[in-house]
């Protein structure tokens, strides 16, 4: 049933929001709308999801990707990735001083 599929979606963070929306509007599943809202709230509270959103909003996503790749390549050894971290930090600091809305902070 659609509700059991939605229950599975709660445990599957990769499920698309389109499938959740479809489930939440399915008249055969009266409780699915609430379940979809719970899934959305859980995703919003997920630290990894929040981090990804903040990095994307900062405009520093490509630099973070370089940090992430370097860290994976070097088994999490920060000292091997200091240039990537410094570049990313400079970008984030510049974003903070300007602000996400383009105004000086």
């Amino acid at each position: 049933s659609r509700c059991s599929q939605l229950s599975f979606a709660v445990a599957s963070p990769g499920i698309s929001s389109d499938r959740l929306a479809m489930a939440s509007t399915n008249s055969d599943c009266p409780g699915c709308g609430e379940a979809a809202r719970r899934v959305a709230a859980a995703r919003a509270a997920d630290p990894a999801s929040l981090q990804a959103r903040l990095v994307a909003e900062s405009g520093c996503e490509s630099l973070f990707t370089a940090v992430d790749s370097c860290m994976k390549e070097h088994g999490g050894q920060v000292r091997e990735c200091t240039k990537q971290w410094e570049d990313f930090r400079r970008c984030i600091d510049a974003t903070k001083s300007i602000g996400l809305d383009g105004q000086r902070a």
Side-chain angles (χ1 to χ4, degrees):
S1 80
R2 298 294 278 170
C3 285
S4 63
Q5 289 174 351
L6 190 58
S7 296
F8 175 74
V10 172
S12 303
I15 190 105
S16 78
S17 57
D18 292 341
R19 285 192 60 193
L20 287 175
M22 285 174 21
S24 68
T25 58
N26 185 339
S27 61
D28 295 335
C29 183
C32 288
E34 179 58 32
R37 282 189 287 281
R38 284 195 309 271
V39 169
R43 280 200 188 131
D46 176 27
S49 177
L50 176 63
Q51 176 186 359
R53 190 179 86 239
L54 292 173
V55 169
E57 289 173 358
S58 73
C60 303
E61 196 167 16
S62 64
L63 294 169
F64 182 77
T65 299
V67 167
D68 190 49
S69 295
C70 183
M71 293 294 286
K72 287 176 182 172
E73 180 181 336
H74 295 285
Q77 296 296 314
V78 174
R79 72 177 172 266
E80 300 297 329
C81 304
T82 55
K83 182 192 180 322
Q84 291 84 350
W85 275 111
E86 287 169 1
D87 292 346
F88 176 67
R89 191 172 296 118
R90 268 194 298 277
C91 182
I92 292 294
D93 289 346
T95 300
K96 286 180 188 175
S97 69
I98 293 172
L100 291 177
D101 59 1
Q103 302 295 318
R104 278 244 174 265

